[in-house]
Amino acid sequence: MPLPVPVLPEGVDPAWLPVEALRPLGVRRTLIRGSGPLVDTVHGEVADACGRFGGKVVRGEEGAARGAPDGARYDLLLEVSAAEGLGAEGFAFGRDGGTTTVTASGPHGLLYGLFHVVRLGAAAFAGPVAREEHRPATALRMLDHWDNVSVHPVMGQVERGYAGGSLFWRDGRARGEAERVRAYGRLLAAVGINAVAVNNVNVREAETRLLTERLGEVAGLAEALRPYGIRTHLSVNFAAPMLLDGLPTADPLDTGVRAWWAGAVRRVYAAIPDFGGFVVKADSEGEPGPFAYGRSHADGANMLAAALAPYGGTVHWRAFVYDHRQDWRDRGTDRARAAHDHFAPLDGEFAGNAVLQVKHGPMDFQVREPVSPVLGAMPRTRLAVEVQATQEYTGQQRHVCWLGPMWSEVLRFRTDGAAGPSVAESARGGIVAVSNVGDDPFWTGHPLAQANLHTFGRLAWRPDADPCDVLDEWIGLTFPGAPARLADGLRAVLRGSWRTYEKYTAPLGVGFMVQPGHHYGPGVDGYEYSRWGTYHFADRDGVGVDRSAATGTGYAAQYAKAWAEVYESVDSCPDELLLFFHHVPYGHVLHSGKTVIQHIYDTHFEGVEEAEEARRVWAGLGDLVEPARHARVAERYEEQVRCAREWRDQVNSYFLRKSGVPDGQGRLIH
Ligand code: GCW
């Protein structure tokens, strides 16, 4: 039986699956072979498209003789064939003799094969194509929602959320809007995402109960996501046995605690048989963890892994552990070192179903960071790399900042130097993004931030894809039939937007300089004398953090030799990371030939000019973009330009006042 395609609530944007995107499929004849719920989903998709555009779909059983049951010719064959060795999610695609064929070893592969055809559009039905095999680079492609069940007094419904409320929760309760959740799952499946964690990693009281008495609400979400091949995960509180059942301890080696978790997990799987597992933030920013009992993070993770193992579940244990109560006077403590210091010595100690989830950089999702050295230091551990689609430090979805090029750089980075594995290859445990989605009608607040979500999914599936090709795919799907002027305009405003944002914010990798708390807008000294370990050390002579082994914190030595050498020396350190690794005088000459201070002035003027230019380009597309979307983006450009000017003026004035070095071009600095 075909499963009906979810109906979007009135006014909700179809994102990259507008009805038109399915026209090439919907005008044709399709034969589907296979059985089971996901094949029913595929059938529903094709039937819906055919209903709209006049094509026809026929369903046959897996393994039946070739040819349609009705003997007619068909344009597309979607079939599950267990004989193919394509893995659970892979599929083969080809075209021959007027028929396009997708063959998958299992129903998940068929679903991804269907969306491959959708993404190709008319091209899926043109000319012969020799058989291609498609498989995801990693088995886990996940979105973590930092959604709270109860509204947090400071963080709101969604922590670091810039797209309205949560899709899942509202005012302490599940929203119960299964249709919209299923539509969300559909969008995610169309870009290859297969896992979602439905609550914030900071797990407070109401959220702790999702594991036990509120499990039914999680099961409801899992039911809505399942038809699109998405497994549900839950963030759990390490101290849950104490908080929920009054156990005297949460010690991971205590038998009572272990039994408690085993029981909790058994009940979870009784309610959600395909449950993915847990996400855990422990001993981090005030969350409870194993340190309280003198146990290691491997002890903590392995205890949960043992509870999940009988059911095939996984624990995602986050490596974001650092001292958030640092004294700024203490120059010996370097937050960047923390994850490696804590976790690298534990390599080989984690259970097979424990994944260590590592933020892509050593600090916290800044616009520019080096790749975390942890990603190259734990070959005997299943690692996942975590990026942030929600734009906490990159403009909060008020600014256009397409992160495809940043993520691509991270995923392709070779942790051992030129010859070693890439981050994507090392991340055997998966590729994860903090979601940028909420209940906003455009899903992501800023309509152009949809490109980040789409790009994340596509890069998680194929990390070596060219992000610009992925962007073009997003443009083609989201704006079907876009005239060249629109496609060119979208490329112009998106492609370089990350570098533009970098130009007008914190320079040369030094990071932060944001307003404390909410992290929006400039605050050059916002975190300079705080407890969070985020400093730039600007004085009258220079700026930057000495993280060399010779004279600094030693962070540079956490890398494999090839990179440690590059970063150790001021001469070989790449310009864009110079102030992350070194404290240099304002007159220091970069590889670009400019002094640091002149670079700061120039990039800040340029960044604002580029934001103004993007605003102008967007304004010129008014006749080609649907009015609500155009207006929403135009309004956000006003804010982006205002804020970029504020950044420019505060950063430039700050460094002029500190250094006393005038701008070489004599521009106005206040
Ligand atoms: O980026 C920081 C955020 C916190 C977040 C934390 C984390 C969920 O400012 O809001 O907490 O990282 O990754 O755990």
Side-chain angles (χ1 to χ4, degrees):
M1 280 292 286
L3 180 79
V5 170
V7 179
L8 283 176
E10 187 64 29
V12 173
D13 186 59
W16 50 84
L17 289 178
V19 168
E20 277 299 307
L22 284 94
R23 177 187 285 275
L25 178 77
V27 296
R28 292 184 161 81
R29 280 184 63 91
T30 297
L31 169 62
I32 300 173
R33 288 192 192 287
S35 54
L38 287 188
V39 182
D40 294 344
T41 301
V42 170
H43 187 178
E45 287 287 340
V46 181
D48 187 80
C50 291
R52 289 171 195 278
F53 298 111
K56 187 167 179 202
V57 59
V58 176
R59 177 94 174 251
E61 286 316 303
E62 184 176 340
R66 291 189 84 91
D70 59 0
R73 200 187 69 80
Y74 45 87
D75 308 295
L76 175 64
L77 169 63
L78 298 170
E79 65 173 350
V80 176
S81 165
E84 298 275 351
L86 295 161
E89 296 182 310
F91 61 89
F93 173 87
R95 185 168 163 83
D96 175 23
T99 302
T100 300
T101 305
V102 170
T103 314
S105 312
H108 287 84
L110 199 70
L111 182 69
Y112 296 126
L114 164 78
F115 283 119
H116 181 74
V117 171
V118 172
R119 290 192 307 265
L120 286 174
F125 302 99
V129 179
R131 176 186 158 105
E132 304 166 352
E133 294 190 355
H134 297 259
R135 291 182 188 81
T138 177
L140 186 117
R141 304 167 305 276
M142 182 181 199
L143 283 178
D144 283 4
H145 279 254
W146 286 353
D147 296 15
N148 298 316
V149 174
S150 289
V151 178
H152 184 269
V154 179
M155 292 299 170
Q157 189 80 65
V158 180
E159 180 152 348
R160 313 306 182 185
Y162 313 104
S166 164
L167 280 181
F168 308 140
W169 319 102
R170 181 162 51 204
D171 294 337
R173 276 193 291 280
R175 293 179 69 138
E177 291 168 27
E179 193 81 350
R180 179 133 194 222
V181 175
R182 199 152 64 84
Y184 179 48
R186 179 174 184 250
L187 281 175
L188 300 186
V191 293
I193 290 166
N194 66 358
V196 166
V198 297
N199 65 306
N200 189 0
V201 291
N202 293 328
V203 188
R204 302 182 182 97
E205 212 215 307
E207 295 77 12
T208 303
R209 295 182 187 280
L210 294 176
L211 177 62
T212 52
E213 73 247 44
R214 301 189 63 167
L215 187 57
E217 294 167 57
V218 182
L221 293 172
E223 197 181 323
L225 292 168
R226 185 175 298 120
Y228 283 94
I230 291 167
R231 289 173 86 179
T232 296
H233 296 240
L234 199 60
S235 296
V236 295
N237 186 318
F238 193 77
M242 299 167 78
L243 299 167
L244 298 179
D245 276 327
L247 265 63
T249 175
D251 182 348
L253 300 191
D254 180 272
T255 47
V257 170
R258 298 177 77 88
W260 189 92
W261 281 105
V265 169
R266 182 168 16 89
R267 287 184 289 275
V268 170
Y269 277 90
I272 312 170
D274 59 349
F275 181 69
F278 296 146
V279 180
V280 189
K281 172 177 178 178
D283 291 316
S284 171
E285 300 184 334
E287 295 298 299
F291 283 163
Y293 312 99
R295 309 299 184 195
S296 78
H297 276 236
D299 292 332
N302 291 346
M303 182 259 297
L304 296 176
L308 289 159
Y311 311 93
T314 304
V315 56
H316 284 251
W317 190 269
R318 294 178 82 231
F320 184 59
V321 177
Y322 69 100
D323 179 2
H324 71 294
R325 295 210 174 85
Q326 196 177 316
D327 185 338
W328 60 267
R329 298 165 193 84
D330 162 21
R331 298 287 294 250
T333 304
D334 177 9
R335 170 168 166 182
R337 290 188 56 116
H340 188 282
D341 283 344
H342 284 301
F343 288 97
L346 300 178
D347 187 30
E349 290 184 24
F350 287 90
N353 63 329
V355 166
L356 186 65
Q357 189 164 309
V358 185
K359 286 193 184 188
H360 68 83
M363 295 295 277
D364 199 5
F365 301 135
Q366 301 303 293
V367 67
R368 175 75 69 172
E369 291 188 37
V371 168
S372 168
V374 178
L375 292 165
M378 301 188 68
R380 291 179 296 147
T381 306
R382 278 175 74 193
L383 298 174
V385 59
E386 182 183 296
V387 301
Q388 197 185 40
T390 195
Q391 292 169 238
E392 177 177 1
Y393 294 99
T394 49
Q396 306 200 346
Q397 280 131 266
R398 299 199 226 175
H399 299 220
V400 178
C401 187
W402 174 57
L403 295 163
M406 181 213 270
W407 297 337
S408 173
E409 277 183 23
V410 169
L411 293 170
R412 294 184 203 209
F413 182 83
R414 298 194 177 275
T415 53
D416 276 350
S422 66
V423 164
E425 285 158 358
S426 301
R428 291 179 290 125
I431 300 181
V432 182
V434 182
S435 171
N436 62 352
V437 169
D439 68 357
D440 174 75
F442 287 102
W443 302 91
T444 52
H446 200 305
L448 300 183
Q450 289 176 3
N452 279 330
L453 186 61
H454 173 277
T455 301
F456 167 73
R458 301 291 285 127
L459 289 181
W461 179 284
R462 236 200 95 190
D464 62 352
D466 180 337
C468 288
D469 292 345
V470 174
L471 183 66
D472 283 351
E473 179 188 284
W474 175 77
I475 292 172
L477 286 169
T478 308
F479 303 89
R485 181 160 65 85
L486 176 56
D488 288 348
L490 287 160
R491 280 188 207 106
V493 302
L494 281 156
R495 274 194 180 183
S497 55
W498 167 49
R499 284 177 190 276
T500 296
Y501 188 83
E502 179 180 28
K503 282 183 178 179
Y504 61 75
T505 57
L508 297 166
V510 76
F512 288 90
M513 299 191 170
V514 290
Q515 293 279 328
H518 57 70
H519 299 165
Y520 184 75
V524 180
D525 280 340
Y527 278 103
E528 197 58 12
Y529 305 99
S530 77
R531 60 191 175 90
W532 299 90
T534 51
Y535 313 117
H536 56 69
F537 300 121
D539 60 21
R540 66 177 187 177
D541 301 316
V543 56
V545 189
D546 185 354
R547 295 193 161 103
S548 68
T551 53
T553 70
Y555 167 81
Q558 292 184 333
Y559 289 88
K561 193 161 172 284
W563 287 113
E565 283 172 6
V566 166
Y567 296 141
E568 175 71 16
S569 150
V570 177
D571 297 329
S572 51
C573 183
D575 283 353
E576 67 265 19
L577 289 169
L578 185 69
L579 301 184
F580 190 91
F581 282 100
H582 297 280
H583 186 91
V584 296
Y586 293 115
H588 173 84
V589 179
L590 297 166
H591 297 118
S592 69
K594 284 185 186 176
T595 61
V596 165
I597 190 74
Q598 195 57 44
H599 173 95
I600 293 175
Y601 296 149
D602 288 353
T603 49
H604 284 77
F605 284 111
E606 282 164 27
V608 171
E609 283 158 20
E610 289 171 16
E612 289 168 347
E613 173 62 9
R615 178 178 65 171
R616 194 192 63 75
V617 169
W618 182 260
L621 301 175
D623 56 327
L624 300 176
V625 178
E626 151 234 340
R629 190 191 310 258
H630 192 269
R632 172 76 75 94
V633 173
E635 161 206 314
R636 293 197 180 206
Y637 264 126
E638 292 306 311
E639 168 56 17
Q640 178 170 355
V641 168
R642 182 207 66 76
C643 188
R645 289 178 181 153
E646 199 58 36
W647 269 101
R648 174 196 65 196
D649 293 340
Q650 289 202 25
V651 171
N652 282 349
S653 299
Y654 180 95
F655 283 104
L656 175 63
R657 291 175 192 181
K658 281 267 165 175
S659 71
V661 180
D663 171 31
Q665 294 192 45
R667 289 163 290 197
L668 176 65
I669 297 180
H670 301 271

